Amino acid sequence: MRPSSHQPAKMYLTAKTHKFLNLESITLDKLKYRPILDQIGTMTYNTSKIIARYLSPLACNEYVIKDTLDFPNIIADNPILQDEEDVSYDVESLFTNIPVPETIEYIIKEIYQNNKLPKICNKLIFKRLLLKLTSGSLFSANGKFYKQVDGCAMGDPLSVTLSGIYMCKMEHEVVKPMNPSLYRRYVDDIFYRRKKNAKDTLFENINNHHQNIKITIETEPSKFLDTSLIKYDDNYKKALYRKDRKVPIHWQSKTPKNYKRNAILTELHRAKRISDNYTEEINISKTKFVKAGFPNKFVESVIRQCNTEKDEKIIPDYLFEERRFITIEIPYCYRNEKASKRFISKLEEFTQFEFRFRIIWKTRKIKSLFPLKDKITHPSNVIYKGKCTCGKTYIGETKRNVETRWSEHNVPSEKSEPSKHLTKNVEHFFTWDIMCYASKNNNKRRILESYLISINCPRLNEQLECKKCHLFRNGIT
């Protein structure tokens, strides 16, 4: 739970282009955006993740759909009657409209009065912690700082958990007393079965439950989550829902071949669990990927693989092997991918098949070329270099705010080497600069620091050499 840095959250926007029918209809005045807070590296991020895991049991009840692929089974087990009809509700901007004070009061009541979770601290302390993690977060946007006063933002580890807890609270107070024949929810999407030509009391009660929470309604929905619904008699014909304007990855794209293979496999696995006509889904998927430039032979081989393999196991078989499993991260390019099979076979032969190796390809997304967030104003997890007016240099590392560490070096009373140097030479002073950003992992950061020290040989560092590690003593040929 210790903070890893002091930097504030950064807000950026993602455009909702999927709301338009085609590219020609997209205009700036009609374009809507989704605000996201990047809280990775903030002082509350690690704490929020732990508290979210701790509170997660309060975000579950009998109405929650645990998996989008579980919805077809729910529909199959609940045939619709002639005097009934299905509707879907959608909560408008759930995360940003969560009534945080009411939700926190409900959490405190469930833990300290109803004993739903083990107590981890005093009630007052825990309440203050929740308020600090939610309404007290700071973020930057366009070079200015803002403070969040209500609601939760996308990107906050607590947002999903708090939204689920509030919806469970609402369902306990509004839905449960009505005892509906079918009511299921996945985050902010609700599927509800009601009587035909009757007043929709549930819709009114949810809209009146809190002034921040408003829902929209769709009667006889043609799709819900990943499932397309075609009604006939007292039930539905189910098919895999595909967005009309969403195109698959193109065969000529600079991505690893296993990414392209997995794109087909993922769609086929979803179709197998959702659709009533798997053969038809195979033909649709085949046409879709062939249009995207995939070779016919490649698509058919993936389909055969999907049809012949057994049910996917939760824990893969290779994890039970006696051989130690090692992953190798390599930057992706076509030449590396082409040479990877020979490299792995030579590597296994060299290690006398003692280890099992798997390559993780490191790719770069196009969006990384276009900065959407503010620059980091308070860098942390860096390797830095200081140069004294006398010409001597020092290299160090820190996981904290680098400016704080520099100010400590500039105080003569400190025990670091630059401080000792300034104690002996009062008229000298240091100029500081960041050499590179480093890992949050302490060992990896210190290894990089020792390497840079051995290369640059700064005169104020006590350690001028690093241990040489030979991964392959005789090389690989």
Side-chain angles (χ1 to χ4, degrees):
M1 293 178 69
R2 292 181 178 178
S4 57
S5 70
H6 299 83
Q7 68 185 36
K10 298 177 287 294
M11 191 187 79
Y12 64 98
L13 304 174
T14 57
K16 298 182 179 180
T17 54
H18 61 282
K19 300 288 185 181
F20 295 88
L21 295 175
N22 50 58
L23 293 175
E24 290 75 17
S25 62
I26 299 178
T27 57
L28 288 177
D29 57 329
K30 296 180 181 178
L31 192 62
K32 294 184 179 180
Y33 301 91
R34 178 181 289 110
I36 299 176
L37 279 189
D38 178 12
Q39 294 204 345
I40 298 176
T42 61
M43 67 177 184
T44 60
Y45 182 72
N46 292 338
T47 307
S48 295
K49 286 203 301 182
I50 294 173
I51 297 300
R53 286 198 298 268
Y54 167 68
L55 296 176
S56 58
L58 297 180
C60 297
N61 60 16
E62 65 270 27
Y63 302 119
V64 173
I65 301 175
K66 297 181 180 179
D67 188 348
T68 59
L69 300 178
D70 191 41
F71 177 71
N73 298 329
I74 295 172
I75 289 295
D77 296 339
N78 294 273
I80 188 171
L81 302 179
Q82 291 185 354
D83 63 338
E84 292 179 331
E85 64 177 355
D86 291 328
V87 296
S88 67
Y89 299 151
D90 181 37
V91 184
E92 295 181 347
S93 304
L94 175 60
F95 285 8
T96 53
N97 288 322
I98 297 171
V100 173
E102 290 89 336
T103 307
I104 291 177
E105 289 296 335
Y106 176 75
I107 291 171
I108 297 298
K109 179 182 176 182
E110 291 294 285
I111 295 175
Y112 292 93
Q113 292 184 22
N114 299 333
N115 298 317
K116 292 290 184 67
L117 293 176
K119 303 175 183 64
I120 59 175
C121 65
N122 178 275
K123 180 169 71 171
L124 181 60
I125 293 175
F126 189 66
K127 184 176 180 179
R128 287 179 176 175
L129 175 63
L130 291 178
L131 288 170
K132 181 66 178 177
L133 295 176
T134 52
S135 59
S137 58
L138 299 172
F139 63 92
S140 65
N142 293 330
K144 297 181 180 179
F145 288 95
Y146 300 87
K147 183 178 180 179
Q148 185 176 340
V149 295
D150 197 10
C152 294
M154 295 187 69
D156 186 344
L158 266 175
S159 295
V160 177
T161 305
L162 289 183
S163 63
I165 292 173
Y166 173 78
M167 292 301 291
C168 287
K169 173 182 179 292
M170 181 274 295
E171 287 160 352
H172 179 74
E173 298 171 357
V174 177
V175 180
K176 197 169 185 178
M178 296 184 62
N179 193 24
S181 60
L182 180 61
Y183 175 97
R184 293 292 186 273
R185 175 180 57 83
Y186 185 80
V187 190
D188 59 350
D189 294 318
I190 300 170
F191 191 87
Y192 169 57
R193 184 163 292 167
R194 67 184 184 183
K195 294 291 182 180
K196 287 183 179 178
N197 304 319
K199 184 180 179 181
D200 195 343
T201 310
L202 181 62
F203 179 76
E204 294 181 359
N205 290 348
I206 294 177
N207 270 326
N208 295 330
H209 184 258
H210 194 279
Q211 60 182 3
N212 289 2
I213 302 299
K214 300 298 176 184
I215 61 173
T216 57
I217 185 172
E218 180 184 357
T219 306
E220 299 290 349
S222 60
K223 59 99 178 172
F224 188 76
L225 302 180
D226 290 344
T227 307
S228 290
L229 301 171
I230 305 170
K231 188 176 180 182
Y232 69 97
D233 296 333
D234 62 342
N235 217 323
Y236 289 99
K237 178 184 177 183
K238 300 180 291 296
L240 179 64
Y241 173 70
R242 299 174 176 88
K243 291 184 179 179
D244 296 333
R245 297 173 296 280
K246 187 174 181 180
V247 295
I249 183 174
H250 198 275
W251 180 257
Q252 296 297 331
S253 63
K254 304 299 181 182
T255 51
K257 187 178 287 186
N258 63 329
Y259 283 24
K260 300 165 185 173
R261 179 180 294 273
N262 290 340
I264 304 175
L265 281 174
T266 301
E267 185 162 312
L268 292 176
H269 279 301
R270 289 168 59 219
K272 190 182 291 186
R273 292 186 58 180
I274 291 175
S275 180
D276 294 329
N277 191 341
Y278 181 56
T279 304
E280 182 181 347
E281 297 290 347
I282 290 177
N283 295 331
I284 295 173
S285 296
K286 183 178 178 181
T287 304
K288 170 184 170 181
F289 283 98
V290 168
K291 281 184 178 179
F294 281 58
N296 229 324
K297 188 177 179 181
F298 179 82
V299 177
E300 289 176 354
S301 69
V302 178
I303 292 173
R304 282 196 301 271
Q305 176 189 343
C306 183
N307 292 337
T308 55
E309 68 182 11
K310 298 179 181 178
D311 291 339
E312 187 178 357
K313 296 182 179 179
I314 297 176
I315 303 177
D317 290 333
Y318 64 79
L319 292 179
F320 294 99
E321 290 188 8
E322 294 183 0
R323 291 192 298 171
R324 187 178 170 189
F325 186 75
I326 297 176
T327 57
I328 305 173
E329 189 175 281
I330 301 177
Y332 173 77
C333 69
Y334 177 74
R335 289 179 59 187
N336 285 353
E337 185 180 37
K338 193 174 181 181
S340 62
K341 287 186 178 180
R342 185 171 180 272
F343 170 73
I344 290 295
S345 62
K346 287 286 185 181
L347 192 57
E348 289 182 338
E349 184 181 344
F350 177 78
T351 56
Q352 298 179 351
F353 301 94
E354 184 179 350
F355 304 100
R356 180 186 174 95
F357 298 95
R358 174 172 290 187
I359 292 178
I360 297 177
W361 295 111
K362 188 176 181 181
T363 58
R364 188 178 184 185
K365 296 181 180 180
I366 294 177
K367 69 178 184 180
S368 65
L369 303 174
F370 306 95
L372 301 175
K373 312 170 192 174
D374 288 356
K375 290 184 178 181
I376 298 175
T377 53
H378 304 280
S380 57
N381 295 303
V382 298
I383 310 295
Y384 58 88
K385 182 177 181 179
K387 186 175 182 181
C388 183
T389 49
C390 65
K392 294 183 178 180
T393 56
Y394 174 83
I395 293 177
E397 58 85 20
T398 183
K399 70 175 182 180
R400 300 183 295 152
N401 184 351
V402 69
E403 294 172 356
T404 302
R405 187 58 180 151
W406 290 346
S407 63
E408 292 173 352
H409 285 318
N410 290 330
V411 178
S413 60
E414 292 290 330
K415 296 181 180 180
S416 64
E417 292 303 318
S419 298
K420 294 177 182 177
H421 180 73
L422 293 177
T423 304
K424 297 177 182 178
N425 306 276
V426 182
E427 296 179 354
H428 293 194
F429 63 89
F430 279 87
T431 54
W432 301 96
D433 192 20
I434 295 174
M435 297 185 71
C436 63
Y437 289 89
S439 171
K440 294 179 182 178
N441 183 282
N442 290 336
N443 290 333
K444 291 182 179 180
R445 194 172 59 251
R446 287 165 184 165
I447 289 172
L448 178 59
E449 177 202 25
S450 64
Y451 170 74
L452 292 174
I453 289 173
S454 66
I455 294 296
N456 293 276
C457 298
R459 295 176 61 186
L460 290 179
N461 286 83
E462 293 181 352
Q463 174 196 348
L464 295 178
E465 295 184 0
C466 62
K467 294 182 180 179
K468 295 181 179 180
C469 300
H470 296 280
L471 181 60
F472 309 116
R473 295 175 183 173
N474 302 318
I476 300 177
T477 58

